[in-house]
Amino acid sequence: MISQEANKTMTFEDFKTEVLNDYKIAITSRECSLLGRKEVLTGKAKFGIFGDGKEVPQLAMAKVFKNGDFRSGYYRDQTFMMAIGELNIQQFFAGLYGHTDLNHDPMSAGRQMGGHFSTHSLDQNGNWKDLTIQKNSSADISPTAAQMPRLLGLAQASKIYRNVDVLPKKNNFSNNGNEIAWGTIGNASTSEGVFLETINAAGVLQVPMVISVWDDEYGISVHARHQTTKENISEILKGFQRDENSNGYEILNVFGWDYPALIETYQKAEQIAREEHVPVLIHVQELTQPQGHSTSGSHERYKSQERLSWETEFDCLAQLRTWMMANNIATLEEINGIDAGIKKEVLEGKKAAWNAFVEPVKQEQLELVAILENIANASPNRVFVQKYTNDLKSIKEPSRKDILIAARKILRIIVGENSQSLLANWIKNYTNKIQPKFSSHLFSQSNKNVFSVEEVSATYDDNSEEVDARLIIRDNFDAIFSKYPETLIFGEDTGNIGDVNQGLEGMQEKYGELRVADVGIREATIIGQGIGMAMRGLRPIAEIQYLDYLLYAIQIMSDDLATLQYRTHGKQKAPLIIRTRGHRLEGIWHSGSPMGMIINAVRGIHVLVPRNMTKAAGFYNTLLEADEPALVIECLNGYRLKEKMPTNLGKFKTPIGVVETIKSGSDITLVSYGSTVRLVEQAAKELLEIGIDCEVIDVQSLLPFDVNHDIKKSIVNTNRLLIIDEDVPGGASAYILHEIIDVQNSYKYLDSKPQTLTAQPHRPSYGTDGDYFSKPSVEDIYEKVYSMMNESNPEKYPALF
Ligand SMILES: Cc1ncc(C[n+]2csc(CCOP(=O)(O)OP(=O)(O)O)c2C)c(N)n1
Ligand SMILES: [Mg+2]
């Protein structure tokens, strides 16, 4: 029962030891939950969400979780993390307090609330560790069910490593694809679309994924009758069950309080997933919430007396105790002894965590108080300075906020005094030291970040022909797939026909159905596939057919991908490339350019907007040398335009965060990106005919934006700025304006109001005229520039209207 291998030789004493060890882990976890709630109620921690009532099934899952495996779960899994040796008592409380030191809170260095678990995939320098010799948990996020898309990718990586011949059978990420991705989710969260989307996709893909539903009948206060048809997720998923005639799932049911049955069920699930690469769903029913959902609110408000007493009786720990006594594992006395010992251990661990959390801050408090007392002594405003100093001094367990409030308030009082610069410098140094604890690692800080990749220009020779631009994309992908065996691309119509614009024509034939793959219409899990596989060392390129359909994916991009490095303090990464195509073409859902929405939702992902296919191909080449996620938007109307075929396919690299001046000029700076650049170039040509000399700058990369401040250098010469884009008013153009005016401080060099020219506030209408009346046209650009020149020199440029 414990494990099949060990079973053969296991004595009753061994068995007993293992059960007692399990019990100790479970009871440690429970004590942490109980004490954790108290820490919140007494104000030491801000919020608590715990794993009480879900302990026993997690013991069973941990037994079959092997090195190399991955977890993608949610906030109930503390017992599992303890059982695999990745969470101890002190770390549990460090997470609850929000300790900003990774050595104390290895999950997120205080960035996430407690209960959001992770392990370290990267070393000090941001390089991969050997993930096959450790147990892995992808970093949790709070949106319900959002762990599901990533879970799919984590599981798919095993399939890729097992079946793609050009990959080594053993590497830092896989041993012949033997690894399972283990998911956990609450019963109510299975109502989310991405849960069902993932379930279907994993059934189609046949990947080694075991998803456990921890079913406690509730989602906060909302009962299963409002959540799930028939109030039973495994019942309604029965159609997914595999049989002799068709692939599908193995669906298993078990009660969460039945320790031996749980162990057996998890062993069975493991075997099916690991050996056969068949997904398994385990519906773990009859779980409870001894303390209710979280520290905000109490479940007595919405659960009946009857339900509450049932929960007490069927509390999985209570049931485990009864079973242990019935099977002569331990007497009541022995159990009580264990409980008392562990209670003490948890209390001590909690105290140690609290001291470690507050001590450094107390030191900082003492340091500042000493400085402030000196300042007070020498200050004509001594009374006021001393008052704030005393206030700070009297705080027994200060926060860094308390410290800075005191320092900053006193600075205002002592302006002009001798000690002003001393205090100002102290504040600056302190802030510089503390701010990174909260703000580092939004992007990679490794030596493989995008800025480490040198630009390489496209080269041409006498034979270089003008070709349909899609051929440049295609031939460059060909070079990529042969150069990097770990790359793979997948999306709707990506495989067999080679994408809707034939940018991958013939690639599936050449590189196989696993590396160039068609997938279902399911944008969120396409991104999830990419995230999960990128977290396991592959270099996926996830294709979203049209930019307009990125909305289905943007939640996962924003919540999961964009936050990954940040929320793990640089301990996990997913260098996923998202390929899509957009900007103007035809109709409301094939001409979108909602760039403002996108760039504001995905800080943490690079957003690249190449104006042609050579630039786009160069971005892919750059990204594959770097270790960061990015979105590349190809111009939907650019595939059939002619571009010269470069000779160094796969090698030329478009720099990221660098603008390109594509026409120099002295009268006005025109800033644009993507498909609109061509219109701007045309307008600039026409304006030159009447003597208006525009400088045209292609932004190329919205995130990061013009890191060398080249636009400012242009404005220093032209003193005028117009930003043109095809997003809504106040969309990406507002962001660009903020970057140029506020960040680059270019307002000093402007002789007239900086302006934006954008699309209409509605979605783009269909047809030639729909486009003309929805998006900025060459005439619009011409007239806008002209009116700005008219304002400065009405005699030379008399008003048109
Ligand atoms: C997308 C989203 N909506 C709402 C919430 C708020 N919320 C947090 S937990 C929860 C209930 C989840 O219930 P269930 O999945 O059954 O898990 P349990 O807490 O019962 O283990 C809700 C609604 C959220 N975190 N994310
Ligand atoms: Mg629930």
Side-chain angles (χ1 to χ4, degrees), residues 358-413:
V358 292
E359 270 320 310
V361 189
K362 279 192 191 169
Q363 286 305 320
E364 292 159 20
Q365 176 195 31
L366 283 179
E367 185 196 312
L368 178 64
V369 165
I371 292 170
L372 294 180
E373 297 209 308
N374 282 337
I375 291 174
N377 284 336
S379 172
N381 294 302
R382 185 190 167 134
V383 183
F384 301 106
V385 176
Q386 195 63 54
K387 185 199 167 295
Y388 281 121
T389 307
N390 289 343
D391 287 351
L392 175 62
K393 221 166 140 180
S394 70
I395 303 174
K396 267 212 183 111
E397 284 163 344
S399 65
R400 289 179 164 127
K401 179 178 171 184
D402 295 324
I403 291 175
L404 268 178
I405 287 176
R408 293 163 91 173
K409 289 242 158 87
I410 291 173
L411 182 68
R412 296 176 200 167
I413 300 170

Side-chain angles (χ1 to χ4, degrees), residues 429-704:
N429 290 339
Y430 185 73
T431 309
N432 286 344
K433 190 175 94 183
I434 303 302
Q435 187 69 49
K437 292 180 188 295
F438 299 95
S439 300
S440 71
H441 294 94
L442 179 57
F443 296 100
S444 168
Q445 296 187 0
S446 81
N447 60 9
K448 291 201 183 71
N449 69 33
V450 291
F451 302 115
S452 68
V453 184
E454 299 255 332
E455 176 175 7
V456 177
S457 302
T459 53
Y460 304 94
D461 63 20
D462 294 344
N463 300 327
S464 295
E465 281 179 40
E466 293 259 324
V467 295
D468 279 358
R470 62 126 189 149
L471 295 175
I472 295 172
I473 282 284
R474 183 196 65 183
D475 293 355
N476 192 71
F477 273 129
D478 194 357
I480 283 173
F481 296 137
S482 67
K483 183 170 171 190
Y484 303 100
E486 64 279 14
T487 51
L488 63 160
I489 190 162
F490 44 91
E492 296 152 19
D493 302 290
T494 298
N496 190 19
I497 65 163
D499 92 41
V500 281
N501 294 89
Q502 264 98 67
L504 291 160
E505 185 193 17
M507 294 299 105
Q508 188 180 63
E509 260 171 34
K510 194 160 173 188
Y511 296 100
E513 287 187 11
L514 287 170
R515 290 186 67 198
V516 182
D518 281 322
V519 301
I521 307 175
R522 44 172 183 76
E523 287 75 14
T525 45
I526 289 174
I527 300 299
Q529 278 176 268
I531 296 172
M533 287 197 280
M535 291 178 86
R536 291 189 61 198
L538 294 165
R539 290 307 309 262
I541 303 170
E543 190 176 305
I544 299 297
Q545 196 160 74
Y546 298 107
L547 181 59
D548 295 270
Y549 308 130
L550 196 77
L551 263 81
Y552 276 68
I554 199 120
Q555 182 258 326
I556 289 299
M557 288 172 61
S558 179
D559 286 328
D560 197 356
L561 184 59
T563 64
L564 182 64
Q565 289 248 1
Y566 175 77
R567 74 183 193 263
T568 59
H569 201 275
K571 287 298 169 192
Q572 293 187 4
K573 64 181 172 185
L576 166 65
I577 298 172
I578 301 166
R579 174 190 190 214
T580 188
R581 46 189 77 81
H583 312 312
R584 65 177 73 209
L585 193 73
E586 288 302 342
I588 296 184
W589 284 282
H590 295 84
S591 322
S593 193
M595 297 313 305
M597 175 195 71
I598 293 167
I599 55 179
N600 287 321
V602 303
R603 303 296 164 101
I605 301 176
H606 297 309
V607 176
L608 310 174
V609 280
R611 69 178 180 278
N612 62 34
M613 298 307 151
T614 309
K615 293 282 173 188
F619 275 138
Y620 296 123
N621 297 338
T622 301
L623 289 166
L624 285 167
E625 294 291 313
D627 71 350
E628 303 195 60
L631 169 68
V632 181
I633 299 162
E634 296 167 15
C635 295
L636 197 39
N637 61 8
Y639 295 106
R640 307 273 156 194
L641 300 178
K642 299 289 180 200
E643 288 178 43
K644 239 185 185 185
M645 179 66 84
T647 49
N648 55 344
L649 290 164
K651 299 197 181 107
F652 59 90
K653 300 192 181 80
T654 313
I656 288 172
V658 179
V659 305
E660 185 177 347
T661 303
I662 48 184
K663 179 193 169 305
S664 45
S666 52
D667 290 329
I668 183 169
T669 301
L670 306 184
V671 174
S672 192
Y673 61 88
S675 294
T676 309
V677 171
R678 275 191 296 284
L679 307 190
V680 175
E681 280 182 289
Q682 178 60 31
K685 247 188 224 162
E686 294 173 15
L687 285 158
L688 196 57
E689 287 166 14
I690 57 155
I692 298 175
D693 191 8
C694 306
E695 182 138 305
V696 178
I697 297 182
D698 178 8
V699 168
Q700 304 198 93
S701 144
L702 286 169
L703 291 176

Side-chain angles (χ1 to χ4, degrees), residues 54 74 186-188 214-220 289:
K54 316 276 189 300
Y74 79 118
N187 57 296
W214 304 146
D215 191 344
D216 57 16
E217 269 188 51
Y218 282 84
I220 310 186
Q289 296 177 339

